[in-house]
Amino acid sequence: MTSIAIAGTGRMGTAFARRLVETGNTVLVWNRTPANTSKARGAGAEVAPDIAALTGCDTILISLTDAAAVNAVADSLAAAGIAGKLVIDMSTLLPDETQAIADKVADAGADFVDCPVGGTVGPALKGQLLGMAGGTEQAFARAKPVLDALCKRVEHLGPAGAGAHMKLAVNLPLALYWKTLAEALAMLDGSGIPAETAVSLIADSSAGPNVLKNRAQVVIDTLNGTDQPGTFDIAGLAKDLDLALRQAALTRHSLPLSSEAMQSYSQALSAGLGGFDGASLTRFLAGD
């Protein structure tokens, strides 16, 4: 049994808490909005009275939206004292942002691993995520037992920030796929082929990624006019696509397909689709 703290109880942070409790760990959670800890508490996690209480655990996971939030938590943890602790940041950030946070944690005397993951709530609850880790060999060795409880595969890719690099590369094709699927469906305009049949055939072909094979009914329902809440929604996809474009600019790479897709995501967000599944982008574009 391990004592693990989690800063951030959004969808993924709560899923981490549930999985870690179920695998025999003592879990302590904190969230800036205390009411949002209720699901984690209901799953058996304890709720910390304040962020400083998290430092009573040897391992602290961070699962937050952006670098500003992660920096604020890292500052609070460092001020409370984290010498000898292990901090694992599972948020999706830019590599340079991650490295700066890693330096801050190291200056406070703690080990640091960045390990953003591939997969959403369902795989997290089953320990079936894909972990992409960066950090020292020592830090990764400390983190691996915890990450193994959450991930079907976890790879140590290099120093801090390597995980962030890989996560942006993994998420980019997914963000582009929903726009590509809209263009594929445009080929069927006037054919009379039902959405159910089209999605089923695409899912069974080389054109069907796992997101379509695993969520075919969600896609079908969406294409038939009922937008579905997303576990990795349009707002999240747009956020990660924006990070990829910012990273490409830093390294002077051109991503023309991604730039074009970002315009479509911006339009979908303006239409109020941010909270819906990525398939809603396909429906939105196919309806234009």
Side-chain angles (χ1 to χ4, degrees), residues 166-183:
M166 193 71 238
K167 177 61 184 295
L168 296 181
V170 164
N171 274 10
L172 187 58
L174 174 59
L176 299 183
Y177 181 73
W178 298 115
K179 181 174 175 63
T180 303
L181 183 59
E183 296 188 5

mmCIF file of all heavy atoms in Angstrom, residues 166-183:
data_model
loop_
_atom_site.group_PDB
_atom_site.id
_atom_site.type_symbol
_atom_site.label_atom_id
_atom_site.label_comp_id
_atom_site.label_asym_id
_atom_site.label_seq_id
_atom_site.Cartn_x
_atom_site.Cartn_y
_atom_site.Cartn_z
ATOM 1 N N MET A 166 6.247 13.928 -26.413
ATOM 2 C CA MET A 166 5.569 12.772 -26.996
ATOM 3 C C MET A 166 4.059 12.932 -26.957
ATOM 4 O O MET A 166 3.360 12.564 -27.907
ATOM 5 C CB MET A 166 5.989 11.515 -26.232
ATOM 6 C CG MET A 166 5.587 10.209 -26.934
ATOM 7 S SD MET A 166 6.563 9.885 -28.422
ATOM 8 C CE MET A 166 5.284 9.786 -29.671
ATOM 9 N N LYS A 167 3.529 13.492 -25.874
ATOM 10 C CA LYS A 167 2.080 13.646 -25.751
ATOM 11 C C LYS A 167 1.530 14.552 -26.854
ATOM 12 O O LYS A 167 0.467 14.280 -27.429
ATOM 13 C CB LYS A 167 1.717 14.209 -24.381
ATOM 14 C CG LYS A 167 0.223 14.481 -24.162
ATOM 15 C CD LYS A 167 -0.616 13.224 -24.270
ATOM 16 C CE LYS A 167 -2.113 13.508 -24.156
ATOM 17 N NZ LYS A 167 -2.517 14.022 -22.845
ATOM 18 N N LEU A 168 2.233 15.626 -27.173
ATOM 19 C CA LEU A 168 1.760 16.512 -28.237
ATOM 20 C C LEU A 168 1.741 15.782 -29.576
ATOM 21 O O LEU A 168 0.827 15.961 -30.384
ATOM 22 C CB LEU A 168 2.642 17.760 -28.316
ATOM 23 C CG LEU A 168 2.622 18.681 -27.100
ATOM 24 C CD1 LEU A 168 3.521 19.888 -27.332
ATOM 25 C CD2 LEU A 168 1.201 19.137 -26.765
ATOM 26 N N ALA A 169 2.760 14.933 -29.802
ATOM 27 C CA ALA A 169 2.809 14.172 -31.052
ATOM 28 C C ALA A 169 1.686 13.143 -31.116
ATOM 29 O O ALA A 169 1.093 12.916 -32.178
ATOM 30 C CB ALA A 169 4.169 13.480 -31.184
ATOM 31 N N VAL A 170 1.370 12.516 -29.982
ATOM 32 C CA VAL A 170 0.318 11.498 -29.945
ATOM 33 C C VAL A 170 -1.059 12.111 -30.181
ATOM 34 O O VAL A 170 -1.895 11.545 -30.894
ATOM 35 C CB VAL A 170 0.362 10.751 -28.589
ATOM 36 C CG1 VAL A 170 -0.927 9.965 -28.354
ATOM 37 C CG2 VAL A 170 1.561 9.815 -28.546
ATOM 38 N N ASN A 171 -1.312 13.264 -29.595
ATOM 39 C CA ASN A 171 -2.648 13.864 -29.692
ATOM 40 C C ASN A 171 -2.906 14.576 -31.014
ATOM 41 O O ASN A 171 -4.064 14.766 -31.400
ATOM 42 C CB ASN A 171 -2.864 14.863 -28.546
ATOM 43 C CG ASN A 171 -3.369 14.172 -27.297
ATOM 44 O OD1 ASN A 171 -3.392 12.954 -27.220
ATOM 45 N ND2 ASN A 171 -3.765 14.948 -26.306
ATOM 46 N N LEU A 172 -1.855 14.968 -31.710
ATOM 47 C CA LEU A 172 -2.040 15.752 -32.934
ATOM 48 C C LEU A 172 -2.845 15.002 -34.003
ATOM 49 O O LEU A 172 -3.820 15.560 -34.543
ATOM 50 C CB LEU A 172 -0.682 16.196 -33.485
ATOM 51 C CG LEU A 172 -0.727 17.161 -34.669
ATOM 52 C CD1 LEU A 172 -1.484 18.434 -34.313
ATOM 53 C CD2 LEU A 172 0.688 17.501 -35.134
ATOM 54 N N PRO A 173 -2.515 13.743 -34.331
ATOM 55 C CA PRO A 173 -3.318 13.057 -35.355
ATOM 56 C C PRO A 173 -4.786 12.900 -34.960
ATOM 57 O O PRO A 173 -5.664 12.932 -35.822
ATOM 58 C CB PRO A 173 -2.629 11.688 -35.488
ATOM 59 C CG PRO A 173 -1.231 11.920 -35.022
ATOM 60 C CD PRO A 173 -1.349 12.933 -33.912
ATOM 61 N N LEU A 174 -5.044 12.725 -33.655
ATOM 62 C CA LEU A 174 -6.430 12.607 -33.212
ATOM 63 C C LEU A 174 -7.192 13.896 -33.474
ATOM 64 O O LEU A 174 -8.328 13.871 -33.958
ATOM 65 C CB LEU A 174 -6.480 12.261 -31.726
ATOM 66 C CG LEU A 174 -7.875 12.243 -31.086
ATOM 67 C CD1 LEU A 174 -8.773 11.232 -31.789
ATOM 68 C CD2 LEU A 174 -7.769 11.952 -29.604
ATOM 69 N N ALA A 175 -6.577 15.025 -33.151
ATOM 70 C CA ALA A 175 -7.242 16.305 -33.380
ATOM 71 C C ALA A 175 -7.551 16.500 -34.862
ATOM 72 O O ALA A 175 -8.611 17.019 -35.236
ATOM 73 C CB ALA A 175 -6.371 17.450 -32.864
ATOM 74 N N LEU A 176 -6.636 16.071 -35.713
ATOM 75 C CA LEU A 176 -6.839 16.222 -37.155
ATOM 76 C C LEU A 176 -7.871 15.226 -37.688
ATOM 77 O O LEU A 176 -8.535 15.491 -38.699
ATOM 78 C CB LEU A 176 -5.520 16.022 -37.902
ATOM 79 C CG LEU A 176 -4.379 16.997 -37.581
ATOM 80 C CD1 LEU A 176 -3.177 16.710 -38.463
ATOM 81 C CD2 LEU A 176 -4.824 18.432 -37.741
ATOM 82 N N TYR A 177 -8.003 14.094 -37.006
ATOM 83 C CA TYR A 177 -8.868 13.027 -37.545
ATOM 84 C C TYR A 177 -10.319 13.469 -37.687
ATOM 85 O O TYR A 177 -10.975 13.132 -38.680
ATOM 86 C CB TYR A 177 -8.797 11.777 -36.665
ATOM 87 C CG TYR A 177 -9.657 10.673 -37.229
ATOM 88 C CD1 TYR A 177 -9.253 9.985 -38.376
ATOM 89 C CD2 TYR A 177 -10.894 10.359 -36.684
ATOM 90 C CE1 TYR A 177 -10.057 8.997 -38.938
ATOM 91 C CE2 TYR A 177 -11.702 9.368 -37.234
ATOM 92 C CZ TYR A 177 -11.269 8.698 -38.363
ATOM 93 O OH TYR A 177 -12.073 7.737 -38.925
ATOM 94 N N TRP A 178 -10.827 14.200 -36.703
ATOM 95 C CA TRP A 178 -12.247 14.561 -36.753
ATOM 96 C C TRP A 178 -12.553 15.450 -37.951
ATOM 97 O O TRP A 178 -13.632 15.378 -38.541
ATOM 98 C CB TRP A 178 -12.672 15.229 -35.448
ATOM 99 C CG TRP A 178 -12.528 14.310 -34.279
ATOM 100 C CD1 TRP A 178 -11.686 14.449 -33.215
ATOM 101 C CD2 TRP A 178 -13.244 13.082 -34.060
ATOM 102 N NE1 TRP A 178 -11.829 13.396 -32.349
ATOM 103 C CE2 TRP A 178 -12.779 12.533 -32.844
ATOM 104 C CE3 TRP A 178 -14.228 12.397 -34.765
ATOM 105 C CZ2 TRP A 178 -13.267 11.341 -32.319
ATOM 106 C CZ3 TRP A 178 -14.713 11.196 -34.255
ATOM 107 C CH2 TRP A 178 -14.240 10.685 -33.044
ATOM 108 N N LYS A 179 -11.594 16.275 -38.346
ATOM 109 C CA LYS A 179 -11.786 17.090 -39.554
ATOM 110 C C LYS A 179 -11.673 16.202 -40.802
ATOM 111 O O LYS A 179 -12.453 16.349 -41.756
ATOM 112 C CB LYS A 179 -10.741 18.211 -39.607
ATOM 113 C CG LYS A 179 -10.861 19.129 -40.820
ATOM 114 C CD LYS A 179 -9.888 20.288 -40.723
ATOM 115 C CE LYS A 179 -9.911 21.138 -41.987
ATOM 116 N NZ LYS A 179 -11.218 21.778 -42.223
ATOM 117 N N THR A 180 -10.734 15.266 -40.782
ATOM 118 C CA THR A 180 -10.572 14.349 -41.903
ATOM 119 C C THR A 180 -11.818 13.500 -42.111
ATOM 120 O O THR A 180 -12.248 13.249 -43.251
ATOM 121 C CB THR A 180 -9.358 13.418 -41.642
ATOM 122 O OG1 THR A 180 -8.204 14.211 -41.425
ATOM 123 C CG2 THR A 180 -9.117 12.493 -42.820
ATOM 124 N N LEU A 181 -12.426 13.056 -40.999
ATOM 125 C CA LEU A 181 -13.626 12.232 -41.101
ATOM 126 C C LEU A 181 -14.770 13.016 -41.742
ATOM 127 O O LEU A 181 -15.556 12.452 -42.517
ATOM 128 C CB LEU A 181 -14.033 11.732 -39.718
ATOM 129 C CG LEU A 181 -15.247 10.789 -39.665
ATOM 130 C CD1 LEU A 181 -14.998 9.531 -40.500
ATOM 131 C CD2 LEU A 181 -15.577 10.423 -38.216
ATOM 132 N N ALA A 182 -14.852 14.309 -41.442
ATOM 133 C CA ALA A 182 -15.889 15.126 -42.077
ATOM 134 C C ALA A 182 -15.694 15.156 -43.593
ATOM 135 O O ALA A 182 -16.667 15.081 -44.362
ATOM 136 C CB ALA A 182 -15.848 16.545 -41.510
ATOM 137 N N GLU A 183 -14.445 15.242 -44.029
ATOM 138 C CA GLU A 183 -14.183 15.263 -45.467
ATOM 139 C C GLU A 183 -14.469 13.904 -46.100
ATOM 140 O O GLU A 183 -14.944 13.817 -47.240
ATOM 141 C CB GLU A 183 -12.751 15.723 -45.724
ATOM 142 C CG GLU A 183 -12.517 17.157 -45.262
ATOM 143 C CD GLU A 183 -11.165 17.718 -45.675
ATOM 144 O OE1 GLU A 183 -10.427 17.026 -46.411
ATOM 145 O OE2 GLU A 183 -10.860 18.861 -45.272
#
